[in-house]
Amino acid sequence: MRFSILLPLLLVLSLTAANAQPVGQDQDRPPVVIPSKPNIVFILADDLGIGDVNAYGGDRCLIETPNIDKLARNGLRFTDAHVSASVCAPTRVAIMTGRYPWRNSKYRRGGAWGFTGLQFDPTQTFTIGDMFENAGYKTGYVGKWHLGTEMTTVDGKVQGETNVNYKKPLITGAPQFGFEHSFILPASLDMYPYAFVRNNVWQGEVTAQKGWSAFNRIGPAEKDFEDHQVVETFYQEAENFIDRQVANQPFFLFLALTAPHTPTSPGEAWQGKSTLGVYGDFVMEVDHSVERVLNALKQKGLDENTLVLFSSDHGPASYAGNILKATPGQIHQLEAQGHHSNGPHRGYKFSVYEGGLHVPLVAHWPAIIKPGSESNALVGLNDLMATFAEIAGGTIDPSDAPDSISFANQLRNPKSPAKRQTLIMQSAMEVYVVRDGPWKLCLGPGSGAKGIYGNRPIPEDAWKAAMESFDGKASRNAFLKAPFVQLFNLDKDPHEDHNLAAKNPARVSKMVALLQTDIQNGRSTPGPKLENSKNVVIHQRLPDFIRAGMSK
């Protein structure tokens, strides 16, 4: 039997006084009696840059996002929110488990793209869905999954393009992760199979072969599946879930969009809406998610005491834009027009830089959050587990969610001291990033992303330049010091132009030690020491020519 600790309920208990006038409530509306367990909706966009939202991008954003902007005006805007990784699946693992993704080894093999195997064993891992179910919530998941599934195959072998039995349910899917209701796409919109799964049952007839713009990956598809209808389908499913809820039964809805991730496929109602072009159209359809959710809540009379959060799984893809075919670096064409998807930051999806890791995070809760609020607290999306548990009265075992710290206090008082002071992140190539207050350390000399994705400098060039100062004979120990690492002070250098590592060796050593301690303890929060499910090495992916030189 698990030993559970009841997380602090001070936030919840402060809301139970009947007929109290909630902060931010219209004065001409009757007082609202706040139940002890609010509803929670989390909306997660896919590949949306912080600069794609007007509330963050300002004059450098040329896309209209009226609904997200209104959410921010009437709620709370976080200015220092980050993902755990600048790539899709690891970020989703961190959100689902409250655990840094680099601690996990992949649990089960699978095929390419949407046939990927389970990222972790849901029977042994406490998930955000489990937490809400245990707290008495109805749970729903709608949208992009990308956490891996276990599919029924015709030959009993590892699932792949040719052997999945689409007439049989998934063996493991969202229901096994704690979601009573689910309607998912197994992976991204450019990753086959292109078919929906409701509560582990494939929908329709998966008998076609289809592919879309961007990478044009052709694979198994439901015969009537169309890429430009997917986001609208998710909105309808989310509305239906909310409509089915009953009074005095709290619910949690995870709405995971597939946009504006490629293929850039806005619905017919959104085509031609943006002056920026088709990319702007797709972002505007993402913005519409907020309107659909809030309207559905209002129709049920649930809008006052529902916490709605909006964020993105990482920064924008540099190969996305108004050219439908994925084209490395085409995002610069949008920048030439005056639109900067990465906001004031450097880098894009996959990289170690802020453009890939710094994301919008907006919270709206009329009963509690004062309109126009802003918080500069350091927040990671891995913190959602602890935050939601505190709000919902959930319990988390000391061995679970070892990297999740609640920011619930910021919702009520945005200026209250932040509980999180440090944060570990990673690039797509598993180059580690350490935040400690305003300081940021990247444990590699380049962008941490392959050059084909448009990030610069590419690792090979950066490593060669660093090695030249050692005549090509640097040892592994040197790789944790300048010039092989990058140190920035984000308060003074938000664009990360000035590497201060050589001038601050003690600061570098302190932050390397911080990472090493988190690795050794198996956690970054107080509690018993845990084991990582894989051997974690700080430099996991040295360039091939460096590895070759070290082996000689």
Side-chain angles (χ1 to χ4, degrees):
M1 180 178 297
R2 290 175 177 266
F3 169 71
S4 296
I5 2 177
L6 185 61
L7 290 177
L9 297 181
L10 294 179
L11 180 67
V12 173
L13 293 175
S14 67
L15 309 180
T16 56
N19 298 323
Q21 183 74 11
V23 175
Q25 182 183 329
D26 294 337
Q27 298 302 310
D28 59 348
R29 298 177 66 176
V32 178
V33 178
I34 306 300
S36 60
K37 292 178 180 290
N39 308 305
I40 299 176
V41 179
F42 177 51
I43 306 172
L44 184 68
D46 194 7
D47 284 24
L48 180 78
I50 194 169
D52 286 327
V53 177
N54 245 288
Y56 287 89
D59 293 340
R60 291 163 63 91
C61 175
L62 300 185
I63 303 173
E64 295 181 21
T65 55
N67 297 294
I68 302 171
D69 299 343
K70 184 177 180 181
L71 200 75
R73 286 197 307 272
N74 293 333
L76 168 62
R77 188 175 71 104
F78 286 90
T79 62
D80 200 9
H82 290 73
V83 289
S84 297
S86 54
V87 65
C88 299
T91 286
R92 293 163 196 275
V93 168
I95 293 171
M96 192 63 65
T97 66
R99 192 175 191 228
Y100 288 142
W102 44 265
R103 298 193 190 279
N104 299 310
S105 57
K106 192 168 182 177
Y107 173 62
R108 184 156 294 166
R109 290 192 305 126
W113 310 124
F115 296 106
T116 186
L118 296 168
Q119 296 292 317
F120 56 87
D121 181 0
T123 67
Q124 299 297 318
T125 306
F126 189 70
T127 70
I128 205 166
D130 296 329
M131 186 278 294
F132 274 110
E133 278 200 326
N134 292 349
Y137 276 62
K138 292 290 185 180
T139 54
Y141 191 105
V142 174
K144 172 178 174 175
W145 184 243
H146 214 180
L147 288 166
T149 61
E150 186 178 2
M151 302 177 183
T152 303
T153 59
V154 297
D155 55 10
K157 296 181 180 179
V158 175
Q159 61 202 39
E161 298 177 45
T162 61
N163 68 342
V164 172
N165 187 340
Y166 295 102
K167 295 182 180 180
K168 295 287 186 180
L170 299 182
I171 299 170
T172 305
Q176 283 67 48
F177 287 72
F179 292 96
E180 181 181 8
H181 171 82
S182 61
F183 183 89
I184 67 170
L185 188 67
S188 295
L189 189 49
D190 59 359
M191 298 180 181
Y192 48 74
Y194 306 115
F196 297 121
V197 184
R198 185 191 302 280
N199 299 331
N200 280 358
V201 177
W202 294 97
Q203 302 298 287
E205 301 176 23
V206 187
T207 55
Q209 290 282 312
K210 295 185 179 184
W212 319 111
S213 60
F215 298 100
N216 195 31
R217 295 172 181 138
I218 298 175
E222 202 279 329
K223 63 182 180 62
D224 296 321
F225 189 99
E226 296 293 341
D227 60 329
H228 64 273
Q229 297 175 351
V230 168
V231 177
E232 175 61 27
T233 300
F234 289 154
Y235 291 161
Q236 293 173 2
E237 289 291 328
E239 289 169 331
N240 292 340
F241 175 83
I242 293 172
D243 186 60
R244 289 195 301 269
Q245 303 312 305
V246 298
N248 302 318
Q249 172 66 67
F251 68 85
F252 169 64
L253 172 62
F254 194 139
L255 175 56
L257 306 179
T258 51
H261 191 295
T262 54
T264 308
S265 306
E268 292 180 357
W270 296 95
Q271 295 170 14
K273 289 287 188 180
S274 173
T275 58
L276 188 65
V278 66
Y279 182 81
D281 295 343
F282 213 18
V283 172
M284 290 185 72
E285 189 170 15
V286 169
D287 175 73
H288 186 52
S289 66
V290 171
E291 184 176 23
R292 297 289 283 268
V293 165
L294 290 185
N295 284 346
L297 292 170
K298 192 170 185 177
Q299 288 174 8
K300 292 284 289 186
L302 301 172
D303 50 320
E304 285 292 338
N305 194 44
T306 297
L307 169 62
V308 177
L309 290 102
F310 178 92
S311 191
S312 178
D313 64 348
H314 48 66
S318 63
Y319 52 80
N322 289 331
I323 302 172
L324 296 187
K325 180 180 179 180
T327 306
Q330 73 151 310
I331 201 168
H332 300 312
Q333 297 179 15
L334 299 181
E335 294 168 353
Q337 293 177 251
H339 179 77
H340 298 263
S341 291
N342 56 357
H345 305 300
R346 176 184 184 183
Y348 310 96
K349 174 183 179 179
F350 301 123
S351 78
V352 295
Y353 300 123
E354 289 294 280
L357 294 166
H358 194 167
V359 294
L361 178 61
V362 180
H364 179 266
W365 189 2
I368 295 300
I369 296 175
K370 183 179 180 180
S373 298
E374 183 175 291
S375 172
N376 63 2
L378 177 62
V379 169
L381 293 194
N382 47 295
D383 293 329
L384 290 174
M385 172 83 87
T387 303
F388 290 160
E390 181 170 350
I391 293 170
T395 58
I396 300 178
D397 187 275
S399 63
D400 294 322
D403 302 302
S404 193
I405 299 174
S406 174
F407 58 83
N409 59 321
Q410 261 71 43
L411 301 179
R412 186 170 181 82
N413 181 7
K415 303 303 181 184
S416 62
K419 294 182 180 180
R420 176 175 289 286
Q421 299 298 318
T422 64
L423 182 68
I424 309 299
M425 297 167 279
Q426 66 185 89
S427 75
M429 294 179 66
E430 296 185 353
V431 175
Y432 290 101
V433 175
V434 182
R435 270 291 301 275
D436 184 10
W439 293 97
K440 175 179 176 180
L441 179 68
C442 308
L443 290 176
S447 65
K450 295 179 180 179
I452 59 173
Y453 299 126
N455 283 289
R456 297 292 184 271
I458 63 174
E460 289 77 8
D461 291 346
W463 276 94
K464 287 177 181 177
M467 289 294 286
E468 287 177 0
S469 61
F470 284 84
D471 297 324
K473 298 178 181 179
S475 66
R476 183 175 288 273
N477 288 336
F479 296 159
L480 299 178
K481 304 175 182 177
F484 296 100
V485 300
Q486 302 168 81
L487 179 69
F488 305 105
N489 186 319
L490 295 180
D491 281 353
K492 300 178 181 179
D493 180 24
H495 197 260
E496 300 169 281
D497 293 319
H498 306 290
N499 184 358
L500 304 178
K503 296 180 180 180
N504 295 274
R507 161 58 61 179
V508 170
S509 296
K510 176 185 176 183
M511 295 176 74
V512 169
L514 189 157
L515 172 60
Q516 290 172 327
T517 298
D518 282 0
I519 292 173
Q520 292 166 2
N521 290 340
R523 67 186 312 133
S524 57
T525 58
K529 185 173 182 179
L530 302 174
E531 296 294 328
N532 303 310
S533 63
K534 70 177 182 181
N535 182 33
V536 181
V537 180
I538 290 181
H539 282 299
Q540 295 199 31
R541 294 192 179 181
L542 300 179
D544 291 340
F545 76 94
I546 296 290
R547 291 182 181 276
M550 292 178 64
S551 63
K552 293 180 180 179

